[in-house]
Amino acid sequence: MSDILKMFTTVIKSLFKKSTCRQYPFKKPVFFDRTKGHIQIDRERCILCSLCDKRCPTGAINVDRNARTWAINSYKCILCFRCVEVCPVTCLAMQQQYSAPEEIKKSEVVEIPAKAEKAKA
Amino acid sequence: MSIKKSPWIIHYDGSSCNGCDIEVLACLTPLYDIERFGIINVGNPKHADILLITGGVNQQNKTVIKNLYDQMAEPKAVVAIGACACTGHFFAECYNMLGGVDTVIPVDVFVPGCAARPEVIIDGVVKALAVLEKKQQEKVTA
Amino acid sequence: MAKRTIVPFGPQHPVLPEPIHLDLVLEDEMVVDVLPSVGFIHRGLELLCQKKSFQDMVFVAERICGICSFIHGVGYCQGIEKVMNLDIPKRAQFLRVFWGELSRVHSHLLWLGLAADAIGFESLFMHSWRVREKVLAIFEETTGGRVIFGAAKVGGVRIDISQDKLDQLAIALDEIQKEYEPLAKVFLEDYTVQHRWSEVGYLSKEDAHQLGAVGPTARASGLPQDMRKLRYGAYEDLEVEPIVETAGDCYARCVVRVKEIYQSLDLMRRVIHKIPAGEIETKVTGFPQGEYFSRVEQPRGEVVYYVKGNGTKFLDRFRVRTPTFANIPPLLQMLKGCTLADVPAIVLSIDPCISCTER
Ligand code: SF4
Ligand code: SF4
Ligand code: SF4
């Protein structure tokens, strides 16, 4: 008898309690300050030293000095933030928003403006 | 016509480190609860519409993955979850690894991250639904 | 003699998220022999040590297994640090213990859920994982990752937790304990759970010793074996008493894990209380030369890392002996003489982690 009573109280409680579910995608995902999402570059500050390219353990970053591009393949990146640590001008940052799933794998290529253009801008 | 209303998924662990694995399972549990959308995790490939693969392909499991894929009924979609399943990241350099899942079967959606967060996995499954719909349309018109 | 049948189990099986293949030799319903075949997850990551520098190898070590990822990283770092004779700041050591114990709670809750699922107790599975998400929230808050967080590094840790945050975490831990208590009560008192697991998969103390069982599997059979007694890292200042049960069946293994969660929560509170201020890493210069065996206690038992440096950026050899590997001979012993329906429950009871066994 007491067991049944206990069961009923649990059921009633569960009926009125707030749901545990985060209700994604109807509500925004919850992030913390340190949440690792994706790597973002501040293209104005990058000096194309290609340290991040060399130190990345997975080879996700590709820096091309001649073409002045910085590319990241987020399907290779393991979010270890090693690149953030090594960048001498701290132009890389870990952002909270995760990279979205896609149907084809492609690198995100960022063009780094030349010094002269920067000065003009 | 709606697979879209209640797609069934099957999960296979390629050579993952369990990180993405438990995130797939976490999708099924209260905090993310994809059963809200009628998505059920089944153990039999013949019942499933979407194949979720975590981890890359190695010499031993490439036949297993191929078998699983062949056993699924049309239309079907494949979602590669995690950096391992997409490209194999540094494991691609290992002697036993072939690389990402797309080296043995066609992959429809790539989900990045290491480990991929449950939110991204949900997004990936939603993307796969659109693919599934398209494939079904093609089948009907063909 | 009854007719023998061979039933294949796995590699893709609903009860285990991971692929392992067992050929079960049956006589009627009884299992008389088990032939495991492995290699579905073998990546060969030990050899990566010749391609990745010893500092990058931490990331590889963390990806041996996603469940005890942090402890893998720490075990590897500890080996390198011993080879290079590095002194690790106290604060870093305490933080390592903190995240390590939190990983233990996370891993055990995960196991409790999976085990409940294996016996068909779906709601218990859901509740265990609900509590587990609270633990993951702490991980995400302090390191940024939910399961793999890359906080370990040779020479210390990469991220600090501020003192305010630690105090808040103490409250969060109390909340977890409050939510965990009713759950633990179900595991310890509920008739269904007891009925399903008692006297299933028996392993005697002698067998546990001779077949080399480790971790909760050994402790449930009455062997007080716990690597934290070796006093590595900050365990120097934190007394740990291994939790021992004597029954040796699946239920005893469950009880050990249920109680270890309390122990770990308690340890974390002591860490928060005792943690000294100061640096979190020492500068690493030079390259490792020499070899070392580092032994660490994981949620699943003892894990051994062997590292051999040759004075260059790359290691000569990196070797891992994981707890599940040590627990497979005892598992085969347990499976002999059980019925087919008990196989999933027994396989799960050693908390198999295939990905670290096969690496
Ligand atoms: S986070 Fe790590 S893996 Fe990703 S790009 Fe940076 S260094 Fe490479
Ligand atoms: S390390 Fe920083 S400055 Fe150098 S190439 Fe990379 S992003 Fe640019
Ligand atoms: S992507 Fe990362 S977390 Fe996922 S299976 Fe691979 S190594 Fe593990």
Side-chain angles (χ1 to χ4, degrees):
Chain A
M1 195 60 213
S2 72
D3 279 356
I4 292 180
L5 208 71
K6 221 159 95 190
M7 196 181 85
F8 265 111
T9 41
T10 316
V11 168
I12 304 258
K13 254 196 224 152
S14 312
L15 271 179
F16 291 103
K17 228 168 32 189
K18 213 177 117 235
S19 124
T20 320
C21 184
R22 275 188 188 163
Q23 305 288 356
Y24 184 80
F26 305 117
K27 283 189 188 156
K28 283 240 157 66
V30 194
F31 294 132
F32 294 99
D33 290 346
R34 285 184 179 172
T35 299
K36 297 193 279 186
H38 73 283
I39 300 287
Q40 181 127 44
I41 184 169
D42 178 356
R43 46 188 287 212
E44 302 294 321
R45 299 220 321 267
C46 175
I47 51 171
L48 289 171
C49 66
S50 69
L51 255 184
C52 49
D53 185 354
K54 278 196 207 102
R55 292 293 182 78
C56 171
T58 63
I61 297 182
N62 213 327
V63 177
D64 190 336
R65 280 196 186 181
N66 296 327
R68 295 198 70 85
T69 54
W70 179 94
I72 184 164
N73 182 348
S74 53
Y75 300 93
K76 261 189 178 175
C77 172
I78 54 169
L79 302 172
C80 62
F81 61 88
R82 168 52 81 65
C83 49
V84 179
E85 281 178 348
V86 296
C87 179
V89 292
T90 60
C91 68
L92 294 177
M94 183 65 84
Q95 297 289 320
Q96 292 164 5
Q97 180 62 40
Y98 46 79
S99 13
E102 289 296 341
E103 285 169 35
I104 33 165
K105 290 183 281 188
K106 56 172 189 290
S107 297
E108 181 194 329
V109 183
V110 179
E111 277 182 24
I112 310 295
K115 269 265 156 58
E117 283 173 41
K118 270 185 216 171
K120 243 188 278 164
Chain B
M1 289 278 291
S2 268
I3 290 183
K4 209 176 165 184
K5 289 273 157 61
S6 174
W8 285 12
I9 58 172
I10 180 171
H11 165 223
Y12 181 74
D13 173 350
S15 59
S16 91
C17 75
N18 274 348
C20 289
D21 250 9
I22 51 180
E23 293 292 57
V24 169
L25 283 181
C27 284
L28 299 169
T29 54
L31 210 61
Y32 294 98
D33 194 17
I34 53 173
E35 285 187 12
R36 283 177 296 155
F37 307 113
I39 299 176
I40 298 179
N41 188 12
V42 289
N44 189 339
K46 288 176 184 149
H47 299 166
D49 305 308
I50 301 178
L51 174 60
L52 305 183
I53 300 193
T54 56
V57 181
N58 64 16
Q59 303 291 356
Q60 177 98 340
N61 70 21
K62 70 175 182 215
T63 45
V64 180
I65 292 179
K66 261 210 188 101
N67 269 347
L68 271 176
Y69 182 73
D70 291 342
Q71 281 175 19
M72 284 169 64
E74 292 280 348
K76 54 193 169 188
V78 179
V79 183
I81 291 173
C84 276
C86 292
T87 58
H89 60 89
F90 48 49
F91 293 138
E93 295 167 43
C94 293
Y95 59 84
N96 199 31
M97 291 285 288
L98 301 176
V101 177
D102 50 348
T103 50
V104 289
I105 54 171
V107 175
D108 297 305
V109 180
F110 294 93
V111 177
C114 178
R117 291 173 63 86
E119 284 106 350
V120 207
I121 297 176
I122 296 175
D123 284 354
V125 171
V126 170
K127 265 233 156 88
L129 286 183
V131 173
L132 212 54
E133 186 97 329
K134 216 169 81 198
K135 282 189 181 173
Q136 200 174 23
Q137 288 295 335
E138 273 165 23
K139 242 189 136 190
V140 171
T141 49
Chain C
M1 199 184 94
K3 198 167 156 275
R4 292 197 165 187
T5 342
I6 296 181
V7 176
F9 177 91
Q12 192 268 328
H13 193 275
V15 95
L16 285 175
E18 290 174 279
I20 182 168
H21 181 86
L22 301 173
D23 277 320
L24 305 167
V25 183
L26 300 185
E27 253 172 37
D28 296 335
E29 274 286 283
M30 296 293 255
V31 178
V32 287
D33 205 1
V34 192
L35 302 164
S37 67
V38 293
F40 294 99
I41 309 201
H42 179 66
R43 289 161 282 185
L45 58 80
E46 283 172 359
L47 211 62
L48 268 186
C49 73
Q50 291 168 3
K51 290 186 187 159
K52 302 271 163 215
S53 74
F54 74 96
Q55 274 147 337
D56 284 354
M57 268 309 277
V58 182
F59 302 125
V60 179
E62 281 188 332
R63 282 162 183 80
I64 292 173
C65 163
I67 304 178
C68 17
S69 141
F70 182 72
I71 311 187
H72 274 300
V74 165
Y76 167 77
C77 290
Q78 199 170 294
I80 298 284
E81 281 151 11
K82 281 280 168 18
V83 171
M84 297 176 78
N85 271 328
L86 289 175
D87 253 340
I88 307 307
K90 265 263 147 36
R91 187 172 178 88
Q93 287 185 350
F94 271 86
L95 284 173
R96 281 180 180 185
V97 169
F98 182 80
W99 281 316
E101 292 301 322
L102 205 53
S103 299
R104 198 180 310 277
V105 173
H106 145 62
S107 168
H108 281 347
L109 279 171
L110 181 130
W111 179 83
L112 288 174
L114 286 181
D117 190 41
I119 61 170
F121 207 147
E122 190 87 6
S123 56
L124 202 51
F125 163 65
M126 293 293 179
H127 279 290
S128 309
W129 282 57
R130 177 177 55 85
V131 179
R132 178 180 154 271
E133 290 287 345
K134 297 243 146 84
V135 179
L136 293 191
I138 298 187
F139 279 146
E140 197 178 335
E141 201 178 346
T142 53
T143 66
R146 276 165 52 90
V147 281
I148 295 194
F149 29 87
K153 93 184 262 191
V154 176
V157 290
R158 293 169 81 192
I159 333 170
D160 200 358
I161 312 181
S162 69
Q163 199 57 44
D164 292 348
K165 193 48 129 266
L166 277 173
D167 294 337
Q168 282 170 25
L169 289 184
I171 301 168
L173 290 180
D174 287 341
E175 263 169 35
I176 290 174
Q177 175 143 359
K178 218 173 91 204
E179 290 208 17
Y180 171 63
E181 250 155 27
L183 207 68
K185 221 170 118 194
V186 178
F187 278 104
L188 294 178
E189 290 170 12
D190 193 77
Y191 168 80
T192 329
V193 177
Q194 273 173 7
H195 193 69
R196 188 68 185 83
W197 279 336
S198 313
E199 287 164 36
V200 170
Y202 176 71
L203 183 73
S204 69
K205 191 173 174 178
E206 288 71 40
D207 279 348
H209 182 72
Q210 285 200 337
L211 298 172
V214 293
T217 314
R219 289 193 284 267
S221 292
L223 284 181
Q225 190 215 39
D226 192 328
M227 285 312 120
R228 286 175 288 177
K229 291 292 264 183
L230 288 178
R231 296 297 182 78
Y232 61 84
Y235 290 108
E236 215 175 3
D237 305 318
L238 301 159
E239 188 64 38
V240 185
E241 255 326 298
I243 287 163
V244 180
E245 287 284 320
T246 48
D249 53 6
C250 288
Y251 186 62
R253 293 191 269 281
C254 169
V255 173
V256 167
R257 295 198 175 96
V258 168
K259 289 187 180 160
E260 275 186 8
I261 294 185
Y262 283 120
Q263 186 190 32
S264 295
L265 286 170
D266 184 49
L267 258 171
M268 277 184 274
R269 278 193 210 103
R270 267 151 59 199
V271 166
I272 293 175
H273 190 66
K274 275 192 176 167
I275 189 165
E279 290 287 305
I280 55 163
E281 57 176 306
T282 45
K283 209 158 169 49
V284 183
T285 47
F287 300 114
Q289 170 124 42
E291 51 186 347
Y292 189 73
F293 272 103
S294 142
R295 303 166 78 189
V296 187
E297 179 76 13
Q298 268 199 344
R300 290 164 182 72
E302 173 195 1
V303 55
V304 183
Y305 300 87
Y306 170 72
V307 288
K308 180 159 181 262
N310 54 4
T312 63
K313 205 162 94 177
F314 304 106
L315 297 177
D316 256 0
R317 187 78 173 94
F318 170 51
R319 172 94 181 88
V320 193
R321 202 295 316 267
T322 58
T324 311
F325 184 72
N327 276 335
I328 284 181
L331 171 68
L332 300 185
Q333 171 72 21
M334 288 175 223
L335 282 177
K336 278 180 195 148
C338 75
T339 57
L340 181 60
D342 283 341
V343 171
I346 297 177
V347 172
L348 261 183
S349 81
I350 65 159
D351 199 354
C353 174
I354 313 298
S355 75
C356 63
T357 312
E358 299 177 349
R359 296 177 295 285

